[in-house]
Amino acid sequence: MSWVEVVVALTALASALLSGALFSFSAFVMRSLGRLDPPEGIRAMQRINEDAPRSLLMVPLMVSPVGSLVSAAAVLAGWGVEGSPVGESRALVLAGAVLGVLAFVVTAAANVPRNNALATLDAGDPGAAGEWAAYRVSWTRWNHARVVLALGSAVLLAAALRG
């Protein structure tokens, strides 16, 4: 197995792990937090947002876009891909890499700013319930996009390894 195939495989795995972690939020975590009284839900999500950047979630969150960029660069430059399944599946690698990077872009451009705004919200403020409801709707919509992008990246990169 070439080094490029190893990078593609690790990136596919990271994207799959990331998709699964994000899917849990889309599938039930946000709905469960929404069933709490708004101050409790706000405080719980604020704690989650404090802990997430210091958790193992950061491994697939960073490996996916970095591995995507390295994979794409290797395929475009022809580094270590001749005679490998990855070399025969350049379009799949490039498409998977684009999706992997886009999942990170959505995180940075949509979800993180919403998390930062939520961090400043006073859960006891009378208007907090409305802001919490709006946050959950918009954050979850963007999270759905991250799930689809990361999963698509994983599937395409894994398919590229098969040639």
Side-chain angles (χ1 to χ4, degrees):
M1 188 176 248
S2 73
W3 71 270
V4 176
E5 290 170 296
V6 171
V7 171
V8 170
L10 290 174
T11 304
L13 177 61
S15 293
L17 289 170
L18 180 61
S19 179
L22 298 174
F23 177 74
S24 65
F25 275 82
S26 287
F28 64 89
V29 171
M30 292 308 285
R31 187 173 333 138
S32 296
L33 292 175
R35 292 179 59 199
L36 297 172
D37 289 334
E40 291 177 60
I42 292 167
R43 287 186 194 102
M45 191 65 179
Q46 287 171 332
R47 296 301 83 73
I48 289 168
N49 290 337
E50 288 172 6
D51 291 342
R54 293 185 281 267
S55 74
L56 287 175
L57 174 66
M58 295 309 291
V59 174
L61 184 65
M62 297 312 295
V63 168
S64 180
V66 171
S68 291
L69 291 172
V70 171
S71 297
V75 164
L76 289 171
W79 300 327
V81 298
E82 293 308 317
S84 76
V86 170
E88 297 170 14
S89 304
R90 293 172 191 210
L92 290 174
V93 174
L94 293 174
V98 167
L99 295 180
V101 170
L102 285 175
F104 182 80
V105 168
V106 169
T107 298
N111 293 90
V112 169
R114 283 166 174 75
N115 292 345
N116 291 342
L118 184 70
T120 65
L121 186 60
D122 178 358
D125 185 304
E131 290 183 55
W132 170 235
Y135 167 90
R136 284 192 340 271
V137 169
S138 66
W139 189 96
T140 303
R141 282 186 184 145
W142 284 110
N143 193 63
H144 294 334
R146 297 192 297 172
V147 169
V148 170
L149 291 167
L151 182 58
S153 175
V155 168
L156 291 172
L157 293 173
L161 291 169
R162 294 187 46 94

